[in-house]
Amino acid sequence: MKQFLKYVCATVVGLLITLCIFTVICFTIIVGVTASSDSTVISEGSVLVVKLNGDIVEHVGEGSVDRMMGVMPSSQGVDDIVMAIDAAAKEPNIKGIYVESGQMLSDYSALREIRNALLRFKTSKKWVVSYGDSYTQGTYYVCSAADKVWMNPEGTLDIHGLAAQPMYVKDLLDKFGVKMTVIKVGTYKSATEQYTESQMSDANREQVTRYIGSLWTTVTTEIGKSRGISVEAINKYADNVTMAQPAELLIKQRLIDKTMYANEVKAEIKKLLKQDADEDIKQVSCTELATKTRTANESATDDKIAIYYAEGSIVQSSEAGLLFSGGQSIVSKDMVKDLDKLAKDDNVKAVVIRVNSGGGDSFASEEIWHSVATLKAKKPVVISMSGAAASGAYYFSAPASWIVAQPTTITGSIGIFGVFPDMTRLYKEKLGLTFDNVKTNKHADMSLLQRARPFDAEEEALLQQYINRGYELFCKRVSDGRKMPVAKVKEIAEGRVWIAGDAKKLKLVDEIGGMPEAVKKAAELAKVKKYVATAYPTPPTLLEQLLDKATGNGNNLDEQMKSTLGTLYEPFCIIKSLETQNPIQARCEYIDINGKTN
């Protein structure tokens, strides 16, 4: 007994010591973060450095603990980059921007936000230069907006065009003895083809050809305008694959301005700054300037335009989206709570919902739709569409006061489907398992995840009725939100994906533009002139971040899988989630667009 008490006392003392240490660490970090938020001093003759590398997403949380521990974030937020560029235009001590090309993952709508910010910056009569040992098609699209594009003499510049490459898993599933029973509405609802076909249907080929062609036209037109090159010439260069061309030819083609090695770039920037050779270049990062700007804005006014970021697959619960979710998830239960708080916050005068999603769970989409409609009844709601706002994401966008989309946005895809794995061959032929049956009712053994037998014809007809009701409701939601007859909605529905320019003509969106246009419209609808744009959901507290670090929570494994699998990651997520996701989906097809993410 004495020995037992000794161990208990030792354990209690150990816990108290650990708690004290933990408290001291928390206090130190809080003090450090508070001090660092105001410590960024912009010196005369500074240069803002924009690094195009890593995973570029719509919004990244504060990550205060990571910054204090010196851990580099695995991704960058478009919002931070754009905020920094816009702030640099107004900061007299910043003389120019240096853009560094690297290897990155992003979509063209996110890149266009950055590119347009650079174009706005140039109106301040300051300079923008870019340099890269190599330029991918995506980074060159951004960097072509610079005054000068420099490249390593032995570097590469890649312009090759766009190619849509859907992946089909039907034969793979067949090897495992799994057959997908598909019930859908919509000729163009192609998300199910990956389970049932080995190539594109004619309808899908038609819509994909349309939207990647429109996307490429936007990219080539904007590059051509900045570089003084015709679209025809850019397409000619793409056909010859510029990556294989020497730097001298790229200069002749006006794609780049000059070649130099990395250690020579500083000398060129010092010339622009009119500095002596022995002076150091004062640099400011996007994170530093965005943090400083955000801190300064917080006290400017009480009136807020909330910018709510909704990115990733739509799911009902955080458990469903925690792992193998494609990196990020829109969790309906969380988003509903967040929008309810924004509705009750009197300081929030309007809400901009920044959407980047191809849809997901149909029931979760309906839940979010209801919250958006409820929020709109209290204050203006503007949707800002990024790379995609399709299917379930368009479902909850429809009731908004105003919809703004980038010319590179894909949207629409009004349709739903059900995918039900028939695993009877897997159990019987591959695993040697059989089932017997006793039931009280005709369909008592019917399951959405069939293990013992396939659906019979009557059950498939019942499921089709259920899917049809979901489709009718989807069309009704769009009809009510966009104020057009249901019959008109059905003419442009059928699961068809539209590029934003076509969507505007069809009145699925109201305006072509980016985040600045969406925020401006929100302020106009709210009738406020002085306001601060504030990002939501709010980042986790320092304590929550520390607990996540201590317990190993987060998406580290997900990030490792994404890095390892590359283009195979999304199809892997789809297969992995079949058993756990709601089989009724409002989702558009994932297509790997060659050139979209690099």
Side-chain angles (χ1 to χ4, degrees), residues 144-155:
S144 64
D147 298 302
K148 298 293 180 183
V149 179
W150 302 329
M151 190 180 79
N152 188 297
E154 297 305 318

Side-chain angles (χ1 to χ4, degrees), residues 145-407:
D147 298 302
K148 298 293 180 183
V149 179
W150 302 329
M151 190 180 79
N152 188 297
E154 297 305 318
T156 57
L157 189 156
D158 187 13
I159 297 178
H160 55 267
L162 298 177
Q165 298 174 320
M167 184 178 289
Y168 299 89
V169 299
K170 172 179 173 289
D171 294 341
L172 172 63
L173 293 173
D174 186 60
K175 291 180 186 295
F176 287 93
V178 178
K179 178 184 177 182
M180 307 305 291
T181 301
V182 171
I183 311 292
K184 69 171 186 173
V185 178
T187 303
Y188 293 90
K189 198 65 180 175
S190 58
T192 60
E193 290 182 6
Q194 61 190 315
Y195 306 119
T196 61
E197 310 297 330
S198 299
Q199 61 184 21
M200 285 186 182
S201 64
D202 291 341
N204 191 30
R205 189 174 297 278
E206 175 193 347
Q207 68 178 352
V208 172
T209 299
R210 173 72 178 174
Y211 76 67
I212 70 166
S214 181
L215 171 57
W216 184 238
T217 296
T218 297
V219 171
T220 53
T221 299
E222 294 184 349
I223 290 175
K225 184 177 180 181
S226 294
R227 298 297 302 171
I229 310 171
S230 68
V231 171
E232 292 75 19
I234 294 174
N235 278 308
K236 180 180 177 181
Y237 301 154
D239 288 340
N240 291 323
V241 186
T242 59
M243 187 171 64
Q245 308 304 322
E248 294 79 8
L249 180 59
L250 298 178
I251 294 174
K252 185 177 180 180
Q253 293 170 339
R254 297 202 301 276
L255 291 171
I256 63 174
D257 298 290
K258 190 176 181 179
T259 60
M260 64 185 74
Y261 289 97
N263 60 1
E264 297 174 317
V265 174
K266 287 185 179 181
E268 292 295 324
I269 292 178
K270 286 178 182 180
K271 290 178 184 178
L272 292 171
L273 292 170
K274 298 178 182 178
Q275 286 186 355
D276 294 334
D278 58 348
E279 289 186 73
D280 291 331
I281 298 173
K282 301 175 184 66
Q283 302 179 32
V284 181
S285 72
C286 288
T287 300
E288 289 172 331
L289 188 53
T291 301
K292 182 180 179 67
T293 303
R294 192 174 288 111
T295 301
N297 288 344
E298 286 175 356
S299 58
T301 178
D302 290 335
D303 290 345
K304 299 177 182 177
I305 301 295
I307 302 176
Y308 189 91
Y309 289 90
E311 185 169 17
S313 184
I314 302 171
V315 295
Q316 291 187 38
S317 65
S318 56
E319 290 77 13
L322 183 61
L323 190 59
F324 305 127
S325 61
Q328 291 178 297
S329 297
I330 300 171
V331 181
S332 62
K333 295 185 187 308
D334 294 341
M335 189 167 175
V336 166
K337 290 178 183 177
D338 292 338
L339 295 185
D340 183 53
K341 289 179 182 177
L342 292 175
K344 296 175 181 176
D345 190 337
D346 292 335
N347 289 332
V348 174
K349 304 303 179 184
V351 178
V352 174
I353 302 178
R354 177 69 167 185
V355 183
N356 193 14
S357 171
D361 188 302
S362 62
F363 181 77
S365 302
E366 165 72 9
E367 284 187 309
I368 299 172
W369 168 86
H370 181 262
S371 288
V372 172
T374 302
L375 177 63
K376 181 197 170 185
K378 295 184 177 181
K379 59 192 66 176
V381 178
V382 175
I383 299 293
S384 174
M385 295 180 172
S386 183
S391 203
Y394 189 79
Y395 190 122
F396 72 66
S397 297
S401 313
W402 193 258
I403 297 178
V404 182
Q406 288 272 24

